[in-house]
Amino acid sequence: YALLGLWALLAVYGFLLGWQRGSRRGWALYALATALAVYTHALGWLPSAALFAWGLLTTLRTPARLASPALALGAALLAYLPWRTVALGQARQVLTSFWASPPSVVSPFASLYLFFEGPFAGRSLYPAVLGLVLLALGLTAPPVLRGRSADSVALRFLWAWLVLPLLALYLASQVQSVYLERVVIGAAFPVYLLLGWVATRSSAGQAEAPVRWLGALLGFLVLLAGLWGLKNWYTDASLGKPPQREAARAIQAAWQPGQPVSLENLLLLPGV
């Protein structure tokens, strides 16, 4: 998933080079990174498709601008064709046996928090940190809705990069649930950029004093929450995957090192 995130970042960089400067190298990078992302994960194309959708929404009157990104996506698709047979087999397996539970209407909002904190804030702090992240992101709404400044354009781009992959994943999961945030890890980066804008840019310029104060305060609290989660990541692994930790302890208590453990043996454990 770290590799998947890297390809997503390179795809965004290539897209921006191509979109803003008309760089052929940018479009080549966008195509190559998209192809590598799909080879890394079958849903790796979602962030790249979100960028294309953003371009579509912003150029309704000048559709000719979409020619280059469309060609780049087409090249990425052609590069993936050799893997088509394997991909179809994987898709059939997912459609019959994938274990992810169906998402609720709250899931995309919770994803904004999980991209930032993961499960490492602890259950008791989950509502508070989720509310903090959503409130901080809400401060980006005024410039997104009413401004035409450079910040406004950039914020709209970040929101499209973030929301569209999550929305596509959510809608697909209404048919067959594949809703796991890590498969669109490339959409996590705009969360960090948006939170960074709240902590810095929202407190600058012509903003009113209460907005400046609130942006700085929320940025400080978000930083504290992130440091708290980072501390838990290194000191309390049970916050991440407690069932696996409990299973390991049960196996350790029931068997000695070197003894074979089969599925039948595991089913004999209490509570399994």
Side-chain angles (χ1 to χ4, degrees):
Y1 293 109
L3 189 61
L4 187 61
L6 172 64
W7 301 141
L9 281 177
L10 289 176
V12 171
Y13 180 60
F15 182 89
L16 290 176
L17 285 178
W19 190 263
Q20 294 181 331
R21 303 180 185 179
S23 169
R24 293 183 178 179
R25 291 183 179 181
W27 291 126
L29 178 60
Y30 174 61
L32 176 63
T34 299
L36 291 172
V38 183
Y39 270 106
T40 303
H41 194 288
L43 295 177
W45 57 272
L46 285 175
S48 291
L51 304 180
F52 181 83
W54 174 84
L56 176 63
L57 293 174
T58 56
T59 59
L60 293 177
R61 297 181 180 179
T62 55
R65 289 199 67 183
L66 292 175
S68 293
L71 287 174
L73 281 180
L77 176 62
L78 288 176
Y80 187 69
L81 284 180
W83 198 250
R84 179 179 62 87
T85 302
V86 177
L88 291 175
Q90 292 173 334
R92 283 192 293 268
Q93 184 177 1
V94 167
L95 292 174
T96 57
S97 62
F98 200 62
W99 50 268
S101 58
S104 69
V105 293
V106 179
S107 296
F109 298 97
S111 296
L112 303 181
Y113 158 84
L114 291 170
F115 278 149
F116 166 70
E117 188 71 41
F120 296 102
R123 293 182 179 180
S124 60
L125 290 179
Y126 177 87
V129 180
L130 173 59
L132 173 65
V133 171
L134 293 178
L135 180 60
L137 292 175
L139 287 186
T140 66
V144 165
L145 295 175
R146 67 173 180 238
R148 291 187 175 273
S149 65
D151 277 8
S152 300
V153 174
L155 289 172
R156 289 169 185 161
F157 177 82
L158 290 175
W159 273 108
W161 178 12
L162 167 60
V163 170
L164 294 178
L166 284 175
L167 180 60
L169 191 63
Y170 176 82
L171 293 176
S173 295
Q174 302 307 305
V175 179
Q176 173 65 41
S177 182
V178 290
Y179 196 91
L180 295 172
E181 285 83 2
R182 58 180 177 265
V183 306
V184 286
I185 193 66
F189 300 107
V191 174
Y192 313 144
L193 293 170
L194 288 166
L195 291 174
W197 184 89
V198 169
T200 56
R201 298 289 295 177
S202 69
S203 60
Q206 303 300 316
E208 297 179 358
V211 174
R212 294 199 301 268
W213 176 83
L214 182 59
L217 175 61
L218 289 176
F220 177 71
L221 293 176
V222 163
L223 176 61
L224 287 182
L227 292 175
W228 174 256
L230 187 64
K231 186 271 296 182
N232 290 338
W233 164 263
Y234 285 109
T235 61
D236 191 355
S238 65
L239 285 174
K241 295 185 176 181
Q244 284 85 341
R245 187 181 183 93
E246 293 168 3
R249 287 174 175 169
I251 292 172
Q252 187 177 27
W255 287 281
Q256 298 300 317
Q259 288 182 313
V261 178
S262 67
L263 179 60
E264 289 78 10
N265 296 142
L266 293 177
L267 292 177
L268 296 176
L269 287 175
V272 175

